[in-house]
Amino acid sequence: MVAAMAGCAVGLGITLVAAGLIPAHPQSTKSSTGLWTRVSGWWTSLSRRRQAWFAGAVAAGVLAAVITGWLPALFLLPGVAIIVPLLLMAPPQREIDLLAALDRWVRLLATSLSSGKSIRDAIFATRHQASPALAAPVTRLCARLDQRWSMRDALFAMADELRSADADAVVAALAIAAGRGGAGARTTLAALSDNCQERLRALREVAAERAKPRIVVRQVTFITLSVLGAALLFNGAFFAPYRTPLGQLIAVTLAVAYLGCLVVLRRQTVPPMAPRFLRSQS
């Protein structure tokens, strides 16, 4: 216990020395304040359950380091408890959610146009029926139109907010339909809706295939951590070589390498957004 406390004191001393070497001038104070603001904003954005989980993981790491005298537990236990679930959880499907919202909105517009409304009137008539992913952008679109923006500029500003190639396609079609009007607009929106349905079906199939390796890795990780925990409880001598300085370095290296593999897997299972092709002049 004394050795663990001494190690924690050394780490604290190094941190204080590094903080003391940072020059204290207005610019650095401003950046430090900005960093603290971002960190506090991130912390407050978390749910209470996740805050409790993070705080418990850090406390468990400190407690394990003090009780066992194994200093790497101070970093490894919180890292495993916090980072591993984040890397193995299902990623947000922003592209799929946005495309589904766009498809629903296009169908609402087409239905509204069938009653004889113009594109502008259809947008205002359907703004309260848009999906949550589009509610705020459509509301701002209507506000710009009320401020006498041209239809093209207002739609392009909405596309810049959404930052999606699918949104660019919808905006381009709406801009063309607004210029043509009549039956041509309904035909354009109907074809656009069919295209959104086909692309949405393809994206969901790809997402289902990408989820399979993540599920396998999640099972392997759970089994590995369970085996290590059982060995720690029933066969503590197995970890005796990792109490030496070299053993601690090897343990940290192995843990970082495994986390790096999970990061690579995460990047491969989260496809990047398709590049945009529509840009406003502003």
Side-chain angles (χ1 to χ4, degrees):
M1 183 178 297
V2 174
M5 294 179 64
C8 295
V10 171
L12 179 61
I14 294 175
T15 303
L16 293 177
V17 170
L21 293 177
I22 299 176
H25 50 80
Q27 184 176 0
S28 66
T29 303
K30 182 179 179 180
S31 64
S32 300
T33 304
L35 177 60
W36 173 253
T37 303
R38 289 193 296 269
V39 172
S40 60
W42 169 80
W43 177 258
T44 54
S45 65
L46 298 175
S47 62
R48 292 184 179 273
R49 181 179 180 182
R50 185 160 292 183
Q51 289 179 353
W53 176 261
F54 286 4
V58 174
V62 174
L63 184 62
V66 172
I67 293 177
T68 63
W70 196 57
L71 191 58
L74 185 64
F75 312 100
L76 292 182
L77 191 58
V80 170
I82 295 175
I83 299 177
V84 171
L86 292 178
L87 293 177
L88 294 180
M89 66 186 299
Q93 301 291 341
R94 179 182 181 273
E95 192 171 13
I96 294 178
D97 296 339
L98 180 58
L99 184 58
L102 288 170
D103 175 65
R104 182 175 185 274
W105 188 50
V106 169
R107 289 181 180 274
L108 289 173
L109 290 175
T111 303
S112 183
L113 287 176
S114 63
S115 61
K117 292 185 175 67
S118 64
I119 290 291
R120 177 190 174 91
D121 294 337
I123 290 175
F124 278 91
T126 59
R127 60 179 171 177
H128 297 301
Q129 302 174 354
S131 301
L134 279 182
V138 172
T139 300
R140 285 190 288 268
L141 171 63
C142 294
R144 294 188 183 99
L145 293 175
D146 279 336
Q147 296 170 2
R148 298 187 181 279
W149 284 41
S150 66
M151 178 64 69
R152 178 184 180 278
D153 292 340
L155 288 171
F156 277 34
M158 177 182 175
D160 289 339
E161 291 180 7
L162 296 175
R163 295 177 288 107
S164 168
D166 297 312
D168 287 351
V170 172
V171 164
L174 288 177
I176 296 174
R180 296 171 58 182
R186 293 194 297 271
T187 303
T188 300
L189 292 181
L192 180 62
S193 178
D194 293 339
N195 181 70
C196 289
Q197 284 287 325
E198 294 178 1
R199 176 162 168 74
L200 188 60
R201 189 181 305 108
L203 286 177
R204 285 171 174 167
E205 292 178 357
V206 171
E209 292 297 324
R210 288 180 179 271
K212 294 179 180 179
R214 186 171 56 250
I215 294 174
V216 173
V217 174
R218 185 184 301 145
Q219 294 173 348
V220 171
T221 302
F222 177 77
I223 294 173
T224 301
L225 294 178
S226 300
V227 171
L228 291 177
L232 181 62
L233 291 176
F234 301 106
N235 188 17
F238 175 79
F239 295 94
Y242 294 102
R243 292 184 176 275
T244 64
L246 180 60
Q248 293 180 10
L249 179 61
I250 292 175
V252 173
T253 302
L254 292 175
V256 171
Y258 191 80
L259 291 178
C261 293
L262 293 182
V263 171
V264 173
L265 174 68
R266 179 77 173 187
R267 292 175 62 91
Q268 292 180 348
T269 56
V270 181
M273 297 285 289
R276 294 187 57 197
F277 61 90
L278 196 63
R279 299 285 181 178
S280 64
Q281 295 179 354
S282 57

